[in-house]
Amino acid sequence: MPFARSLRSQSLLLFGGSLLLMLLIALAGFALLSRELNRYQSLVEGPLERLVEIDDTHLSFKIQVQEWKNLLLRGSDPDTAERYWQAFLTQEKEVDQRLQRLATSVDEDLRPRLTALRAQHARLGERYRAGRSAYLANGRDPRRGDAEVRGIDRETAEGFATLVAELHGRTAAQVATIRAEAQRDILLGGLALLLCGGGLLFLGVRLVERRLVDPLVACARQLGQLARGRFGERLPVGRDDELGRLTQSTNLLRDAAVQHTHDLRHQAAEVEALSALLAAQLLTEPGQPPRDVDTQTLKDVSRRLADVARDLQDAATQRQD
């Protein structure tokens, strides 16, 4: 198949697949962090917003109590007293409306407490009205007005404070949970990236070493042996890609060198035999008469030497081509 015959495609698959896997792990980590951000946003838009509203309601209640004190301390003038009383009623109405809205938006386990706090605040308003009536009936005497309502706001104020403290605790616990889970997700994402990167690095090194480096080293070693006149063993060919074709070409070069060496040895042996035959025809021992030269033998030796020379020249020409 084309993929198995292309080292470039295999390399692209290895590195591309590694990058894709790392990207998927990174995206998974971002998705986890995005989930924690959404949870934190829900916390901000939910419990934290309710907490701010309860704090504001508590502040409005304190302003309401302060307006009552202003009525007692600075209400000697009828117009001024009426102005402070209207401010008191405005704050009372605002506190009641806030408590009514909160009772429908907080968690269900807190709704009974807010409902009870609203009812308590309503009873508190009746007591303040009775105190105002006593205040007016006794010639705007602040002591008589204060005697009717002295300390009645303490329980309501403590109810607000307890509710605010509890919501603060719940919100802090949720923030701590979100922070811990976000840190855990960051740690897990980092470990996943580290392990995946290490595994891919190890796998990539092993694959590159086995599929690329080892075949190149084997081919280089074989060519080095051929350069020194050694042939060694044929390299195993089990691939059909570029390195497989390189290995096959190295084997062909090795086989050609072996065959060429065999031919040279055969021709050298033949030349040696012809030389011996020629020496037997032409050379004589000292003191012996010259031998009769066989002309046909000399012609045969000459023709055979010419054939060997032509074969050597043809072989050299083929190697150059």
Side-chain angles (χ1 to χ4, degrees):
M1 53 188 303
F3 173 77
R5 302 182 62 181
S6 175
L7 187 62
R8 177 182 299 175
S9 300
Q10 297 174 20
S11 301
L12 289 176
L13 177 64
L14 173 62
F15 294 109
S18 300
L19 290 177
L20 180 60
L21 182 58
M22 296 286 286
L23 179 60
L24 290 177
I25 294 177
L27 289 177
F30 290 147
L32 292 175
L33 290 178
S34 177
R35 183 194 65 179
E36 301 304 331
L37 287 176
N38 291 333
R39 290 181 59 189
Y40 186 76
Q41 183 178 2
S42 300
L43 177 64
V44 170
E45 295 176 352
L48 281 177
E49 187 175 348
R50 303 291 87 76
L51 177 60
V52 171
E53 291 181 3
I54 292 177
D55 272 331
D56 290 343
T57 305
H58 190 196
L59 179 60
S60 297
F61 177 72
K62 290 180 178 180
I63 296 175
Q64 175 189 345
V65 175
Q66 184 61 44
E67 295 296 346
W68 168 255
K69 293 179 180 179
N70 289 335
L71 172 66
L72 294 180
L73 298 176
R74 302 178 179 87
S76 57
D77 179 71
D79 293 335
T80 304
E82 183 63 22
R83 180 165 57 85
Y84 284 132
W85 178 248
Q86 291 301 322
F88 172 86
L89 295 178
T90 299
Q91 292 299 321
E92 181 186 45
K93 182 178 180 181
E94 182 179 352
V95 171
D96 183 71
Q97 290 176 349
R98 286 177 177 273
L99 289 174
Q100 184 179 7
R101 288 196 305 268
L102 284 170
T104 60
S105 60
V106 297
D107 296 337
E108 294 198 3
D109 60 328
L110 294 177
R111 289 179 184 177
R113 296 175 58 179
L114 279 171
T115 301
L117 190 61
R118 185 187 178 199
Q120 185 180 11
H121 178 259
R123 292 191 299 269
L124 194 65
E126 296 175 359
R127 295 286 301 276
Y128 277 117
R129 284 168 176 77
R132 178 174 178 269
S133 299
Y135 168 74
L136 295 176
N138 290 274
R140 301 183 185 280
D141 184 0
R143 292 175 297 177
R144 294 299 302 271
D146 183 61
E148 292 290 334
V149 298
R150 184 179 302 168
I152 64 172
D153 62 313
R154 185 174 296 114
E155 184 179 359
T156 304
E158 290 177 354
F160 274 111
T162 302
L163 189 59
V164 169
E166 183 174 348
L167 284 178
H168 270 293
R170 290 189 180 188
T171 304
Q174 292 180 5
V175 170
T177 300
I178 293 174
R179 183 186 297 113
E181 292 182 358
Q183 292 175 349
R184 182 201 62 190
D185 292 340
I186 293 174
L187 179 60
L188 291 178
L191 287 176
L193 284 175
L194 182 61
L195 292 176
C196 180
L200 289 176
L201 178 62
F202 176 77
L203 180 62
V205 169
R206 293 297 299 168
L207 287 177
V208 169
E209 182 180 5
R210 186 172 62 87
R211 301 283 296 177
L212 181 62
V213 177
D214 288 348
L216 287 176
V217 170
C219 290
R221 186 183 301 112
Q222 182 70 293
L223 293 175
Q225 289 181 350
L226 290 176
R228 292 191 297 270
R230 302 173 184 174
F231 304 123
E233 299 294 333
R234 285 176 56 87
L235 299 176
V237 180
R239 299 165 57 173
D240 196 21
D241 55 11
E242 292 87 349
L243 284 177
R245 291 188 285 275
L246 175 62
T247 303
Q248 187 175 5
S249 298
T250 303
N251 286 334
L252 291 176
L253 179 61
R254 181 253 181 204
D255 294 342
V258 171
Q259 183 63 39
H260 181 59
T261 302
H262 175 74
D263 293 341
L264 288 177
R265 288 176 179 174
H266 177 72
Q267 291 168 351
E270 189 173 0
V271 169
E272 184 179 0
L274 293 173
S275 298
L277 179 61
L278 186 61
Q281 291 289 324
L282 298 178
L283 298 179
T284 58
E285 296 293 335
Q288 293 183 356
R291 298 178 182 177
D292 295 332
V293 178
D294 188 352
T295 306
Q296 184 62 38
T297 300
L298 291 178
K299 290 180 179 180
D300 292 340
V301 170
S302 177
R303 185 172 58 254
R304 185 55 190 156
L305 287 174
D307 292 339
V308 171
R310 187 168 51 255
D311 291 340
L312 291 174
Q313 186 175 4
D314 291 342
T317 303
Q318 291 177 2
R319 297 298 182 272
Q320 293 176 358
D321 293 341

